[in-house]
Structure formats: C-alpha cells, structure tokens
Amino acid sequence: MIEQWQKDIKDSIDDAETLEKVLGVPASEVREIIEKYPLRITPHVLKTIQTKGDALWKQVVPSVDEGQEDAACASEDPLHEAEDSPVPNLVHRYPDRVLLFVTNQCPIYCRFCTRKRFVGSPGTITPTELKQVLDYISAHTEIRDIILSGGDPLMVVDMLLERILKGLRAIPHLEIIRLGTRVPGTLPSRITENLCQMLKQYHPVYMNLHFNHPNEITPEVAKACGMLADAGIPLGSQTVLLEGVNDDPAVMKQLMQKLLAIRVKPYYIYQADLVQGTHHFRTRVEKGLKIISALRGHTSGMAVPHLVIDAPGGGGKVAILPQDTLLYVDDDQAVVKNYEGKRFRYPQPTAAQETESPSGAQENTELFKGLALSFVPFHDE
Ligand SMILES: *Cc1c(COP(=O)(O)O)cnc(C)c1O
Ligand code: SF4
C-alpha cells in the first residue's frame, strides 16, 4: 500500500523542468547544479514558500552560487566523517556515541547540506551493512548512544526502521537512540499513528528536528510534532545559521519561541560548515554570538540553544559563548554582567574549601589579573 507521505514524495519537485514551470527558475540555469546536487521540494514546503527568494526558497531552490569555487569551502567532507568511520555507514568520533547513516534520501535537499557529497544518491543501508554496524556496536561496550542520521532516517519505511531499532535494542549497553530528522518539518504526512506506535516500543527514543525559520512551523508541522511528543519522544531542534535565511536575532528568537510552543526544545545552532558549494550561506561567528546574546535573558532560558562550531577536520562540536558575561574572577569573587549590561558580584567560597580548582578557573584568573573593577557601579550595592 502506498501511504500519503510516499505520494507526497512522488509529487515533489525534483527536476529542472518542473522547477521552471512551478517556480519560474530557468531550467537552463540550474540543470547542471541539480545533476551534481539533487533537488527535492515537497508539496508541503512548496506551500510554505511565500515569495521568490524568501527563507524557504533559499534553503531548497538550487542556485548558480553552488557552482562557485571557494578556497575555504573546498572540501566535500570538511568534518572528515569518512576518516572516523570504522565500518561503512557508521561514524565513531566521540567516546560514547556514534552516528549511523541509514539512507541517502531526504524529504528535501537543503542547498547548504553538510553531506551534500552523498545525499540524494540512491542508497539505503543493506542487511549485511546493518549486521556489521550491530556487530561493531555490540563489541564496543563504551557506546551508549546512537544517532540515526543520513540522509534522513524517517525516509525509510516503518518495517526497515523497526528492523534497525530492534537490532539496536538487543544491545544491552546501548542506552539511548536518537533520530536526527528534517521530516516532521518538511514532510509532516510521514508522521503517522503507526509510526508513533512503532517508535514508542523502543524507548528511550529522542528526536532532533531540523528547523531554520519560523515560517516552517505550520499547523501540519505542529500536529506532527504533537504526535511525536505524545508518543513520549523528547524533541530537540537543530538549526543552521544561514546568511539571508535566519542570520537575524529577531527571526531566531521567533523561531526558538515557536519551537517551544510546539513542544520542541532548542538544542543546537550551528555555524555553517565549510562544505563545497555552500559558501554563500556562511556567516561570521560574531553573528551567531550576537544571536545568543539577544536570546539569553531576553526570553525563556528554555529557548536558548547551544551555538556550536563543528570543528573542521573532525574536531567535533565546540560550543561557543559570548565572552562578555564573566568580567572578572579571583580567589574572593567573580563579577558577572547580566543581559541588561548590569554588573553583579558573586563572592567565592574560601579557596581552602576547594580541593582542586578546575583548570578553567585558573585560566580565567590569569586572564583577568589586573583588571580594574571600580569604574562601573555594581548593581548589588
Ligand atoms: C553531532 C555528532 C554526534 C552527537 O553529538 P552531541 O553533541 O552528543 O549531540 C555524534 N557523532 C557525530 C559524528 C556527530 O557529528
Ligand atoms: S535534510 Fe539534513 S541531511 Fe538531508 S539535505 Fe537537508 S540538511 Fe542535508
């Protein structure tokens, strides 16, 4: 039986001629780009595009900019995922968690994708490959967390997804299973009662959903997220900071607030990776920091995600924070600045109480040595 979501995939825009007919983009301009980097726009996403060149358009409509050379974005695999892959489809970079590529298929093909090198090409994990992956995880008892990714793990049929989940759940030391997916926000018809019933058999299951703009949160998407949350799946969000899409504190604040309202807890905002064909989406790091400053204190702490740089070369995710909140720290006190720019003193417990001071505090003491404190009044006085 063909399900509605499969019909929606069939009805998606995936070639230059249809794109020209529906959105007026000259086929001759983007045909070559699409051959290299596949195109897919679901009917749902098409509906959410409001104007030519808006935030949704930029994410899904191919552009000639993707063919431009850029020295910084010359790599197809800037995170060196291939190097950290002990068996096909698996990336083992961190001590206790692994990333599994389930399929190369996605509901849409985001023009800025970090995995532009393979998304959209045919390919879903085979039974033999799955067995290799399960054997590897079974043999590595330090692995307690797996992220199903791709491509998008919700692009496979329930039966295959369940086979994977069942195999994973048979491994006693694997504590949590996460799914990283853009499906709920772009192909909400995929979130069916059957899927939710199936997923809840394999708890603890978490999901991190990809959202980049408040316009993505439609009534259909809200309903899909509600169904997943009702199935007991804690929902988090991941957002990529993108030039001309969401590089604006007001837009990001609205996105984070809207996510919370549909029961999705903001988790990560990423600085865009150095991927070939995506240079035009990159923003300066200061912009990300400014966005975090505009969120912290100004809205619910629940709405403030971690801003991360996925270190080029495979260094992993590094969280970065605005550097201006801890003004001073020594043996006796710390001085902090709040979101309104007011200063506050936090007295330290006496140094003798501490067995060993964490290295960070030591560095900070060095960093702030000699800083004059008296030039601005404190707000606890
Ligand atoms: C992002 C990522 C993870 C998960 O990282 P968390 O910070 O735990 O969410 C795991 N493995 C790889 C290779 C990743 O890129
Ligand atoms: S859904 Fe995710 S993996 Fe797929 S194209 Fe978009 S960013 Fe890439």
Side-chain angles (χ1 to χ4, degrees):
M1 192 191 80
I2 298 280
E3 295 190 50
Q4 182 58 45
W5 69 271
Q6 291 165 313
K7 284 193 197 125
D8 286 343
I9 288 295
K10 279 212 171 66
D11 292 340
S12 295
I13 301 175
D14 60 7
D15 64 83
E17 283 63 39
T18 315
L19 185 69
E20 172 160 344
K21 220 171 358 176
V22 179
L23 289 175
V25 178
S28 56
E29 207 174 87
V30 291
R31 193 175 285 117
E32 240 176 88
I33 300 281
I34 295 171
E35 266 166 33
K36 190 160 182 208
Y37 304 124
L39 159 73
R40 183 180 278 152
I41 305 175
T42 57
H44 179 82
V45 169
L46 182 64
K47 225 171 47 182
T48 58
I49 294 177
Q50 295 173 352
T51 53
K52 183 173 161 43
D54 75 1
L56 266 298
W57 175 296
K58 285 205 176 97
Q59 292 184 63
V60 295
V61 175
S63 133
V64 289
D65 291 341
E66 291 170 52
Q68 269 171 18
E69 301 276 329
D70 181 84
C73 298
S75 174
E76 294 200 312
D77 181 13
L79 305 181
H80 291 202
E81 291 179 330
E83 278 171 38
D84 282 341
S85 182
V87 294
N89 302 291
L90 200 69
V91 183
H92 191 181
R93 165 163 307 154
Y94 297 105
D96 66 344
R97 54 211 189 278
V98 288
L99 188 78
L100 174 64
F101 300 138
V102 170
T103 176
N104 297 344
Q105 294 297 303
C106 294
I108 57 175
Y109 292 113
C110 311
R111 308 323 296 174
F112 52 85
C113 180
T114 296
R115 308 216 176 95
K116 236 171 143 77
R117 67 186 184 279
F118 66 70
V119 293
S121 61
T124 292
I125 193 164
T126 64
T128 319
E129 288 169 340
L130 178 60
K131 181 163 187 311
Q132 269 185 301
V133 164
L134 295 174
D135 287 347
Y136 179 87
I137 300 172
S138 299
H140 289 259
T141 52
E142 73 276 19
I143 300 173
R144 40 162 293 285
D145 176 4
I146 185 166
I147 298 134
L148 307 193
S149 179
D152 199 306
L154 288 181
M155 289 300 285
V156 304
V157 295
D158 293 3
M159 209 196 295
L160 173 55
L161 186 57
E162 180 157 26
R163 191 179 311 146
I164 297 169
L165 294 174
K166 203 173 248 159
L168 292 171
R169 267 292 163 250
I171 302 171
H173 56 265
L174 192 68
E175 293 169 8
I176 69 169
I177 298 175
R178 301 193 241 174
L179 279 79
T181 173
R182 198 160 185 183
V183 159
T186 57
L187 182 66
S189 54
R190 173 70 183 96
I191 310 305
T192 60
E193 272 311 326
N194 282 344
L195 176 71
C196 294
Q197 285 303 320
M198 185 276 280
L199 289 172
K200 67 197 269 199
Q201 310 304 309
Y202 299 93
H203 273 317
V205 173
Y206 288 71
M207 270 195 200
N208 282 323
L209 314 180
H210 182 163
F211 284 102
N212 295 328
H213 192 275
N215 287 0
E216 292 165 35
I217 299 164
T218 63
E220 293 93 324
V221 169
K223 177 165 175 260
C225 291
M227 287 168 70
L228 292 168
D230 285 346
I233 302 169
L235 304 175
S237 72
Q238 315 205 86
T239 296
V240 185
L241 181 53
L242 300 165
E243 162 81 30
V245 171
N246 57 16
D247 58 338
D248 172 333
V251 170
M252 278 291 195
K253 186 160 131 187
Q254 199 193 8
L255 173 60
M256 300 306 147
Q257 291 172 338
K258 278 187 141 183
L259 285 170
L260 281 182
I262 62 165
R263 304 161 73 182
V264 178
K265 162 77 186 80
Y267 179 43
Y268 279 145
I269 293 179
Y270 294 95
Q271 282 289 145
D273 292 323
L274 307 176
V275 188
Q276 196 173 90
T278 68
H279 177 71
H280 53 296
F281 283 110
R282 296 210 300 134
T283 58
R284 294 187 54 83
V285 171
E286 292 88 333
K287 221 163 213 180
L289 293 171
K290 208 168 141 188
I291 286 167
I292 297 299
S293 295
L295 293 172
R296 172 66 59 199
H298 296 274
T299 188
S300 319
M302 292 282 291
V304 188
H306 304 285
L307 173 65
V308 295
I309 293 180
D310 215 334
K317 297 178 184 70
V318 180
I320 55 173
L321 279 169
Q323 297 293 301
D324 60 347
T325 52
L326 180 60
L327 297 177
Y328 179 87
V329 59
D330 66 13
D331 284 350
D332 302 322
Q333 62 178 338
V335 179
V336 295
K337 190 176 82 176
N338 80 352
Y339 71 103
E340 299 162 306
K342 295 179 181 167
R343 292 160 174 249
F344 299 87
R345 195 195 309 274
Y346 176 83
Q348 301 256 49
T350 53
Q353 268 174 255
E354 287 188 21
T355 41
E356 202 183 321
S357 90
S359 60
Q362 206 58 49
E363 279 170 35
N364 277 334
T365 311
E366 291 302 314
L367 200 67
F368 293 111
K369 229 171 221 164
L371 257 187
L373 276 181
S374 50
F375 58 95
V376 173
F378 289 103
H379 286 267
D380 57 351
E381 291 167 350

